[in-house]
Amino acid sequence: MKNILYLGFFILKTDYKDLIKSINCTSKKGYNKLFLCIRMVINSLWYGSSFVDYYNFQFYRKNKEQKKEYATMGIMYKFHNKMNHKDFIDEVDNKKTFFKTFNKFCNPAFLYTQKDMDIITTVILERINQKIVIKNPESSGGKGVRIFQVQKKENSIMIGDEELITFLKNHFKENEYFYFEDFIVQHESIANISPSAVNTIRMITLLNDENRVDIIGSVFRISVDCPIDNYSAGNLAAEIDSETGVVISGGIRKRSSCDSYHEIHPSTKQQILGLKVPFWNEIKQLVTEAAHIVPQVRTVGWDIAITPSGPIIIEGNSKWNKDTWQIPAGKGKLHVIKKYL
């Protein structure tokens, strides 16, 4: 019965432009479009998979037993609701509270309102000839992220091409807060693969019944000529062995029916497969400690940047994405979370 309800949700919430692209890509592999659409709906009822799950997980070429291995959208909804107490998820998901709770693990962050104009000017002055990253503190998934160079031209402070006061006035017309972080300089081995953005490690933790932290997934998120590394923006993700920190798959895009695995980065031509992520033990220690801070949120997807001096946490996600976890692996991982359900 629940899967019928999910089907209704998928019908209403699907991004059909994105869906059509996946259908068109898959049909070029010899699959009939009508057949794909019919099977897409049937699979939604059988497995709780969204319409885009059907293509991103490549269900059109998988058998029944392989499909059963996937944690689909319907299953993940139940999983996150069971693991994470709704009264505490804001501590992780909302940037305004996140950086107060987890500040010792993070890059310094600054949050101001319009009444703080003088303070903002002073703080920005300290960042002349540096980059800052401006974000919406209530958004996630890389939405609203903007990177600007702070410069001084004659007697004016510039953010990008706009004078600071003008920039702030325009900003506060549409936003309640001015939130920014210092731009992160990433480790050389990571920057060599893709310098267009700060490429992060998605580390998924779960606080088990014995109050120990299980690391249930690790993924290398790689930008492709894009200022953010978010998976939904058309970038790559590659699976990492959680024990060793070695990348064990090529990178692949979320719309996997339109892509193939990239052992070498498509733009920089640097090797992805086989990379040993630096500071791996330190990353595991970092998320293990962070996972205990808000124990009511038992499972979190941590986004970790690796600087020349070590890892820092960019953000946490209580409803971490099932796609980055399973698409690079090319197989379902329901068995990993089944024991917790």
Side-chain angles (χ1 to χ4, degrees):
M1 181 63 184
K2 278 192 174 181
N3 284 354
I4 295 176
L5 296 177
Y6 291 145
L7 177 61
F9 177 82
F10 301 148
I11 290 171
L12 292 173
K13 297 297 183 179
T14 292
D15 180 342
Y16 285 96
K17 287 184 179 179
D18 182 61
L19 179 64
I20 289 169
K21 289 178 181 177
S22 291
I23 293 171
N24 288 338
C25 287
T26 309
S27 69
K28 291 177 182 177
K29 298 176 181 179
Y31 295 90
N32 179 273
K33 288 184 180 181
L34 179 60
F35 169 84
L36 288 171
C37 291
I38 292 171
R39 297 299 296 176
M40 173 185 76
V41 173
I42 292 173
N43 277 257
S44 180
L45 289 168
W46 283 347
Y47 307 106
S49 54
S50 73
F51 293 165
V52 291
D53 281 348
Y54 181 77
Y55 300 96
N56 293 343
F57 294 152
Q58 299 187 20
F59 273 12
Y60 51 84
R61 67 178 189 85
K62 290 188 164 79
N63 61 40
K64 184 177 180 180
E65 293 307 313
Q66 290 171 321
K67 293 174 188 178
K68 284 182 178 179
E69 295 174 357
Y70 278 84
T72 57
M73 186 173 287
I75 292 168
M76 292 305 295
Y77 177 80
K78 291 184 283 187
F79 172 72
H80 284 130
N81 282 345
K82 180 175 180 179
M83 293 295 110
N84 296 334
H85 196 297
K86 64 179 182 180
D87 292 341
F88 292 88
I89 59 174
D90 214 44
E91 292 288 323
V92 172
D93 292 341
N94 191 308
K95 293 179 179 63
K96 288 181 290 184
T97 55
F98 181 85
F99 286 99
K100 292 179 182 178
T101 305
F102 298 94
N103 65 312
K104 74 173 184 176
F105 306 106
C106 304
N107 195 35
F110 306 87
L111 181 70
Y112 301 109
T113 62
Q114 193 163 5
K115 67 180 181 180
D116 301 317
M117 294 286 276
D118 290 341
I119 300 174
I120 297 172
T121 300
T122 300
V123 173
I124 293 296
L125 260 173
E126 297 170 353
R127 285 158 175 79
I128 297 295
N129 297 324
Q130 297 179 30
K131 290 180 181 179
I132 61 172
V133 182
I134 298 174
K135 299 180 178 180
N136 180 342
E138 296 177 341
S139 70
S140 61
K143 296 176 183 177
V145 175
R146 297 178 294 162
I147 301 171
F148 294 98
Q149 181 79 26
V150 178
Q151 302 175 77
K152 192 170 185 179
K153 290 186 178 179
E154 298 178 352
N155 294 321
S156 297
I157 305 170
M158 309 293 292
I159 295 187
D161 297 324
E162 201 167 11
E163 200 274 330
L164 175 61
I165 300 302
T166 303
F167 181 94
L168 291 174
K169 286 180 178 178
N170 290 334
H171 178 86
F172 283 120
K173 286 178 182 178
E174 299 180 356
N175 302 275
E176 183 179 359
Y177 299 99
F178 178 64
Y179 172 89
F180 77 91
E181 302 167 21
D182 290 331
F183 184 80
I184 295 169
V185 177
Q186 58 187 335
H187 192 279
E188 183 181 14
S189 65
I190 305 298
N192 285 343
I193 291 176
S194 181
S196 63
V198 175
N199 306 286
T200 58
I201 306 302
R202 166 62 61 86
M203 182 80 83
I204 303 168
T205 60
L206 192 146
L207 201 60
N208 65 30
D209 291 338
E210 287 75 42
N211 203 39
R212 292 196 301 267
V213 175
D214 296 336
I215 295 173
I216 62 172
S218 305
V219 180
F220 184 24
R221 307 195 314 171
I222 310 156
S223 64
V224 182
D225 303 322
C226 182
I228 59 174
D229 69 345
N230 188 262
Y231 205 31
S232 296
N235 295 305
L236 304 176
E239 187 176 23
I240 302 172
D241 184 296
S242 293
E243 287 296 319
T244 65
V246 174
V247 177
I248 56 175
S249 80
I252 191 167
R253 291 176 174 85
K254 182 176 179 178
R255 193 184 296 127
S256 68
S257 58
C258 301
D259 200 23
S260 56
Y261 284 95
H262 302 268
E263 296 185 6
I264 295 173
H265 192 281
S267 297
T268 65
K269 309 306 178 186
Q270 296 296 308
Q271 186 76 22
I272 295 172
L273 181 65
L275 172 75
K276 177 69 169 69
V277 178
F279 296 110
W280 191 249
N281 288 334
E282 290 83 352
I283 293 172
K284 291 197 290 186
Q285 179 60 40
L286 182 71
V287 298
T288 297
E289 188 176 348
H292 281 101
I293 300 297
V294 186
Q296 298 86 352
V297 183
R298 292 178 58 190
T299 185
V300 178
W302 308 96
D303 292 342
I304 312 295
I306 306 172
T307 75
S309 57
I312 56 175
I313 296 177
I314 301 294
E315 65 180 28
N317 302 271
S318 70
K319 292 181 175 64
W320 47 267
N321 195 302
K322 70 191 185 316
D323 299 323
T324 50
W325 185 47
Q326 296 177 109
I327 293 172
K331 60 183 179 182
K333 295 191 174 185
L334 177 57
H335 67 281
V336 176
I337 61 171
K338 207 167 186 178
K339 61 182 178 181
Y340 304 105
L341 287 168

